[in-house]
CSV table of all heavy atoms in Angstrom, one decimal:
chain,number,residue,atom,x,y,z
A,279,TYR,N,-3.9,-7.0,4.0
A,279,TYR,CA,-4.2,-5.8,4.8
A,279,TYR,C,-5.4,-6.1,5.6
A,279,TYR,O,-6.4,-6.7,5.0
A,279,TYR,CB,-4.3,-4.5,4.0
A,279,TYR,CG,-3.1,-4.2,3.2
A,279,TYR,CD1,-3.0,-4.7,1.9
A,279,TYR,CD2,-2.0,-3.5,3.7
A,279,TYR,CE1,-1.8,-4.4,1.1
A,279,TYR,CE2,-0.9,-3.2,3.0
A,279,TYR,CZ,-0.8,-3.7,1.7
A,279,TYR,OH,0.3,-3.5,1.0
A,280,PHE,N,-5.5,-5.6,6.8
A,280,PHE,CA,-6.7,-5.8,7.6
A,280,PHE,C,-7.2,-4.4,7.9
A,280,PHE,O,-6.5,-3.6,8.6
A,280,PHE,CB,-6.4,-6.6,8.9
A,280,PHE,CG,-7.6,-6.9,9.7
A,280,PHE,CD1,-8.8,-7.4,9.1
A,280,PHE,CD2,-7.6,-6.7,11.1
A,280,PHE,CE1,-9.9,-7.7,9.8
A,280,PHE,CE2,-8.7,-7.0,11.8
A,280,PHE,CZ,-9.9,-7.5,11.2
A,281,PHE,N,-8.4,-4.0,7.4
A,281,PHE,CA,-8.9,-2.7,7.6
A,281,PHE,C,-10.0,-2.7,8.7
A,281,PHE,O,-10.9,-3.6,8.6
A,281,PHE,CB,-9.5,-2.2,6.3
A,281,PHE,CG,-8.4,-2.0,5.2
A,281,PHE,CD1,-8.4,-2.9,4.1
A,281,PHE,CD2,-7.5,-1.0,5.4
A,281,PHE,CE1,-7.4,-2.7,3.2
A,281,PHE,CE2,-6.5,-0.8,4.4
A,281,PHE,CZ,-6.4,-1.7,3.3
A,282,VAL,N,-9.9,-1.8,9.6
A,282,VAL,CA,-10.8,-1.8,10.7
A,282,VAL,C,-11.3,-0.3,10.9
A,282,VAL,O,-10.6,0.6,10.5
A,282,VAL,CB,-10.2,-2.3,12.0
A,282,VAL,CG1,-9.8,-3.7,11.9
A,282,VAL,CG2,-8.9,-1.5,12.4
A,283,LYS,N,-12.4,-0.2,11.6
A,283,LYS,CA,-13.0,1.2,11.8
A,283,LYS,C,-12.7,1.5,13.3
A,283,LYS,O,-12.9,0.6,14.2
A,283,LYS,CB,-14.4,1.2,11.5
A,283,LYS,CG,-15.0,2.6,11.6
A,283,LYS,CD,-16.4,2.7,11.1
A,283,LYS,CE,-16.5,2.9,9.6
A,283,LYS,NZ,-17.8,3.1,9.1
A,284,VAL,N,-12.4,2.8,13.6
A,284,VAL,CA,-12.2,3.2,15.0
A,284,VAL,C,-13.6,3.5,15.6
A,284,VAL,O,-14.3,4.4,15.1
A,284,VAL,CB,-11.3,4.4,15.1
A,284,VAL,CG1,-11.2,4.9,16.5
A,284,VAL,CG2,-9.9,4.0,14.5
A,285,ASN,N,-14.0,2.7,16.6
A,285,ASN,CA,-15.3,3.0,17.3
A,285,ASN,C,-15.1,4.1,18.3
A,285,ASN,O,-16.0,5.0,18.3
A,285,ASN,CB,-15.7,1.7,18.1
A,285,ASN,CG,-16.2,0.6,17.1
A,285,ASN,OD1,-16.7,0.9,16.1
A,285,ASN,ND2,-16.2,-0.6,17.6
A,286,VAL,N,-14.1,4.1,19.1
A,286,VAL,CA,-14.0,5.1,20.1
A,286,VAL,C,-12.5,5.6,20.3
A,286,VAL,O,-11.6,4.8,20.0
A,286,VAL,CB,-14.5,4.6,21.5
A,286,VAL,CG1,-16.0,4.4,21.5
A,286,VAL,CG2,-13.7,3.4,21.9
A,287,ILE,N,-12.4,6.8,20.7
A,287,ILE,CA,-11.0,7.3,21.2
A,287,ILE,C,-11.2,7.5,22.7
A,287,ILE,O,-12.1,8.2,23.1
A,287,ILE,CB,-10.6,8.6,20.5
A,287,ILE,CG1,-10.5,8.4,19.0
A,287,ILE,CG2,-9.4,9.2,21.1
A,287,ILE,CD1,-9.3,7.6,18.6
A,288,LYS,N,-10.4,6.8,23.4
A,288,LYS,CA,-10.6,6.9,24.9
A,288,LYS,C,-9.3,7.4,25.5
A,288,LYS,O,-8.3,6.7,25.4
A,288,LYS,CB,-10.9,5.5,25.4
A,288,LYS,CG,-11.2,5.4,26.9
A,288,LYS,CD,-11.7,4.0,27.2
A,288,LYS,CE,-11.9,3.9,28.7
A,288,LYS,NZ,-12.5,2.5,29.1
A,289,GLN,N,-9.4,8.5,26.2
A,289,GLN,CA,-8.2,9.1,26.8
A,289,GLN,C,-8.3,8.8,28.3
A,289,GLN,O,-9.2,9.1,29.0
A,289,GLN,CB,-8.2,10.6,26.6
A,289,GLN,CG,-7.0,11.2,27.2
A,289,GLN,CD,-6.4,12.3,26.2
A,289,GLN,OE1,-7.1,12.8,25.3
A,289,GLN,NE2,-5.2,12.7,26.5
A,290,THR,N,-7.2,8.1,28.8
A,290,THR,CA,-7.1,7.8,30.2
A,290,THR,C,-6.0,8.7,30.8
A,290,THR,O,-5.4,9.5,30.0
A,290,THR,CB,-6.8,6.3,30.5
A,290,THR,OG1,-5.5,6.1,30.0
A,290,THR,CG2,-7.8,5.4,29.8
A,291,THR,N,-5.7,8.5,32.0
A,291,THR,CA,-4.6,9.4,32.6
A,291,THR,C,-3.3,9.0,32.0
A,291,THR,O,-2.4,9.8,32.0
A,291,THR,CB,-4.6,9.1,34.1
A,291,THR,OG1,-4.6,7.7,34.4
A,291,THR,CG2,-5.7,9.8,34.8
A,292,ALA,N,-3.1,7.8,31.5
A,292,ALA,CA,-1.8,7.4,31.0
A,292,ALA,C,-1.7,7.1,29.5
A,292,ALA,O,-0.7,7.1,28.9
A,292,ALA,CB,-1.4,6.1,31.7
A,293,ASN,N,-2.9,7.0,28.8
A,293,ASN,CA,-2.9,6.5,27.5
A,293,ASN,C,-4.0,7.1,26.6
A,293,ASN,O,-5.0,7.6,27.2
A,293,ASN,CB,-3.2,5.0,27.5
A,293,ASN,CG,-1.9,4.2,27.2
A,293,ASN,OD1,-1.2,4.5,26.3
A,293,ASN,ND2,-1.8,3.1,27.9
A,294,VAL,N,-3.8,7.1,25.3
A,294,VAL,CA,-4.9,7.4,24.4
A,294,VAL,C,-5.1,6.1,23.7
A,294,VAL,O,-4.3,5.6,22.9
A,294,VAL,CB,-4.5,8.5,23.4
A,294,VAL,CG1,-5.7,8.8,22.5
A,294,VAL,CG2,-4.2,9.8,24.2
A,295,PHE,N,-6.3,5.5,23.9
A,295,PHE,CA,-6.7,4.3,23.2
A,295,PHE,C,-7.5,4.5,22.0
A,295,PHE,O,-8.4,5.4,22.0
A,295,PHE,CB,-7.5,3.4,24.2
A,295,PHE,CG,-6.7,2.8,25.3
A,295,PHE,CD1,-6.9,3.4,26.6
A,295,PHE,CD2,-5.9,1.7,25.2
A,295,PHE,CE1,-6.1,2.9,27.7
A,295,PHE,CE2,-5.2,1.2,26.2
A,295,PHE,CZ,-5.3,1.8,27.5
A,296,ALA,N,-7.2,3.8,20.9
A,296,ALA,CA,-8.1,3.8,19.8
A,296,ALA,C,-8.7,2.4,19.8
A,296,ALA,O,-8.1,1.4,19.6
A,296,ALA,CB,-7.3,4.0,18.5
A,297,GLY,N,-10.0,2.4,20.1
A,297,GLY,CA,-10.8,1.2,20.2
A,297,GLY,C,-11.4,0.9,18.8
A,297,GLY,O,-12.2,1.7,18.3
A,298,ILE,N,-11.1,-0.3,18.3
A,298,ILE,CA,-11.5,-0.6,16.9
A,298,ILE,C,-12.6,-1.7,16.9
A,298,ILE,O,-12.9,-2.4,17.9
A,298,ILE,CB,-10.3,-1.1,16.1
A,298,ILE,CG1,-9.7,-2.3,16.7
A,298,ILE,CG2,-9.3,0.1,16.0
A,298,ILE,CD1,-8.6,-2.9,15.8
Side-chain angles (χ1 to χ4, degrees):
Chain A
Y279 300 93
F280 186 45
F281 296 108
V282 294
K283 187 174 272 187
V284 177
N285 285 334
V286 292
I287 297 292
K288 182 173 181 177
Q289 184 138 14
T290 67
T291 47
N293 253 321
V294 181
F295 291 101
I298 60 173

